Amino acid sequence: MEYRSMDKLGVKPSMLGFGCMRFPQKEDGSIDEVESEKMLDKAIEAGVTYIDTAYPYHNGESEPFVGRVLKKYKRDSFYLATKLPIWKVETMEDVKATFEEQLNRLQVDYVDFYLLHALSKERWEKILKLGVLDFCKEMKEQGKLKYIGFSFHDSYEVFEEILTSWDWDFCQIQYNYMDTEHQAGDRGYALAEKLGVPMVIMEPIKGGSLAVLPEDIAAMYKEADQEASISSWALRWVGTHSNVKVILSGMSTYSQVLDNLKTFETFKPLNQEEQALVEKVAATIRSRVKNGCTGCRYCMPCPFGIDIPKNFAIWNQEAMYGNPAAAKRKYERELAESARADQCRKCGACEKECPQAISIREDLVRVKEDFAKMQ
């Protein structure tokens, strides 16, 4: 197992971190604890020392389950990460009660890496208003948490504001070879590196999208290395960045654990030729979008309630990654019927506002037709 030093903190966690938000589930939606414990045990046996969970994962089941599994290991043999659910707390008393609840659920006296969960501009303002950072500092002084950081989902400008506003021990962003311009992206990575803030990376495989690619694109990787899994290319791309210290993988099958362990047993950064190949793959994927919607939302609100950018985002994702079944599920689960493309009345109000000059009405018809055909 590869380990990378967080020089600022004086610790050296495993480069592969076990993300505990996608455990295998039983038919009733609860965690398959037998299989999940087997997966955790295998990862820990192979040298994984960074275990990442959060208050809401698996409808609140993840923290208690992880706590039970880790109880059989020496506390100083692993680094435990969890997160404060900012959306859940409204007062400092809520913050204190939630933190104590997390310690109890995890059955530990302290958390190693404590994150303010999924920060955005609004949540950052809420943190400052409530004095959450002072509370975290106090818990650190009491030994109840060791390192203070945050995970992030917003624009680069917000990331810059947050990262430069406090002396963070670490930070966590979504980063992969398709999201270099998304959220914090390349600029966020560069800023954290410049400031000496060690980084933990989530969504290195973009929620699984970069693990299974269309056959012709996957063939580009297989031609370069017949034995390497498709997902290993995404993981290696992230790990080639030296300020990335931990790469989280939300593993949901035992075979995924084995594959990821293989990648990190003797980690190999991408060489120049391999980096060029990944860039070529990324460009090929991007070239398959159906339209140029950037999600700017100038077209909103639609007079008839359609979420135009969301329809286009799911439609374009399917075209890029070639997984119609997953796209159909996403379309039906994340879009209310009233917000779907088939509600378009062709009024044209959206097209007058679109800076990309997209033929929105025509494309919504295509969205409707394409998803109607998907199984």
Side-chain angles (χ1 to χ4, degrees):
M1 177 57 59
E2 289 287 319
Y3 300 86
R4 281 193 175 171
S5 177
M6 293 183 170
D7 295 337
K8 180 176 183 178
L9 310 182
V11 296
K12 199 172 183 179
S14 59
M15 196 173 172
L16 173 62
F18 200 120
C20 300
M21 69 175 291
R22 295 192 178 103
F23 285 128
Q25 297 177 311
K26 296 179 181 178
E27 289 185 5
D28 64 2
S30 63
I31 296 173
D32 183 338
E33 295 195 2
V34 174
E35 186 66 12
S36 299
E37 183 168 359
K38 177 184 173 185
M39 291 162 57
L40 271 170
D41 286 341
K42 179 61 180 177
I44 292 170
E45 173 192 326
V48 171
T49 61
Y50 194 100
I51 312 297
D52 172 270
T53 184
Y55 191 92
Y57 291 175
H58 285 283
N59 296 315
E61 288 185 20
S62 182
E63 282 183 334
F65 168 68
V66 170
R68 291 194 295 273
V69 174
L70 294 182
K71 200 66 179 174
K72 62 190 176 186
Y73 296 99
K74 291 182 179 180
R75 182 62 187 89
D76 61 359
S77 68
F78 60 86
Y79 298 103
L80 179 60
T82 195
K83 310 171 187 75
L84 177 69
I86 306 303
W87 59 90
K88 180 181 181 293
V89 298
E90 297 299 334
T91 66
M92 181 48 64
E93 289 307 310
D94 291 340
V95 174
K96 293 176 181 178
T98 301
F99 181 67
E100 288 301 322
E101 181 186 0
Q102 290 181 286
L103 292 180
N104 290 331
R105 283 163 57 145
L106 290 162
Q107 301 184 54
V108 293
D109 296 322
Y110 66 91
V111 173
D112 297 282
F113 290 82
Y114 197 60
L115 299 90
L116 308 181
H117 199 174
L119 291 198
S120 60
K121 186 173 182 60
E122 291 74 20
R123 289 178 182 169
W124 174 237
E125 291 172 353
K126 185 177 184 181
I127 283 165
L128 296 177
K129 180 181 177 181
L130 292 179
V132 173
L133 293 174
D134 288 336
F135 168 77
C136 289
K137 190 175 180 181
E138 181 183 342
M139 291 301 98
K140 186 175 182 180
E141 290 169 354
Q142 292 182 20
K144 291 188 175 183
L145 63 85
K146 290 193 173 182
Y147 313 113
I148 305 168
F150 65 93
S151 62
F152 181 80
H153 292 289
D154 206 325
S155 67
Y156 167 77
E157 289 72 23
V158 177
F159 179 77
E160 181 178 14
E161 178 186 346
I162 294 172
L163 193 68
T164 56
S165 294
W166 210 63
D167 184 19
W168 300 97
D169 293 321
F170 70 105
C171 67
Q172 179 173 310
I173 67 169
Q174 176 175 325
Y175 197 43
N176 56 67
Y177 65 74
M178 291 302 298
D179 286 334
T180 56
E181 304 299 321
H182 181 60
Q183 296 184 13
D186 283 343
R187 289 190 293 167
Y189 171 82
L191 179 63
E193 184 175 48
K194 177 183 176 182
L195 296 176
V197 180
M199 304 189 81
V200 176
I201 300 302
M202 57 184 162
E203 302 294 353
I205 312 175
K206 199 171 173 63
S209 295
L210 301 180
V212 181
L213 296 172
E215 287 187 16
D216 59 326
I217 297 179
M220 296 164 67
Y221 281 140
K222 289 300 180 181
E223 185 177 343
D225 188 339
Q226 189 65 37
E227 300 301 317
S229 67
I230 302 302
S231 59
S232 70
W233 286 90
L235 294 169
R236 290 178 62 210
W237 182 89
V238 175
T240 299
H241 297 74
S242 61
N243 193 46
V244 170
K245 307 303 181 181
V246 176
I247 302 174
L248 297 174
S249 180
M251 295 167 270
S252 55
T253 66
Y254 191 75
S255 62
Q256 289 175 3
V257 175
L258 296 180
D259 183 56
N260 287 345
L261 290 174
K262 181 179 178 182
T263 300
F264 288 96
E265 278 173 356
T266 51
F267 182 81
K268 295 180 181 177
L270 298 175
N271 60 35
Q272 287 188 341
E273 185 177 327
E274 290 171 328
Q275 289 188 57
L277 173 58
V278 172
E279 289 172 7
K280 182 179 179 181
V281 166
T284 303
I285 293 173
R286 290 192 184 99
S287 73
R288 298 190 176 188
V289 297
K290 295 290 186 71
N291 70 14
C293 177
T294 64
C296 70
R297 303 189 72 83
Y298 281 104
C299 60
M300 298 294 284
C302 166
F304 300 98
I306 300 168
D307 189 336
I308 297 168
K310 186 72 171 180
N311 276 270
F312 288 159
I314 298 173
W315 187 49
N316 281 321
Q317 287 280 309
E318 192 284 323
M320 292 163 71
Y321 299 106
N323 192 333
K328 183 75 176 285
R329 286 195 300 272
K330 192 177 182 75
Y331 186 74
E332 293 176 347
R333 290 177 182 175
E334 297 186 11
L335 279 169
E337 288 188 21
S338 60
R340 294 177 192 166
D342 60 4
Q343 299 301 308
C344 179
R345 297 296 178 267
K346 298 182 172 59
C347 71
C350 51
E351 293 181 7
K352 295 174 184 176
E353 304 298 332
C354 179
Q356 310 299 324
I358 294 170
S359 299
I360 295 175
R361 288 172 290 182
E362 291 180 14
D363 283 356
L364 286 174
V365 171
R366 295 167 66 200
V367 172
K368 178 182 72 173
E369 293 175 347
D370 285 353
F371 279 103
K373 290 183 288 188
M374 291 180 195
Q375 298 298 319

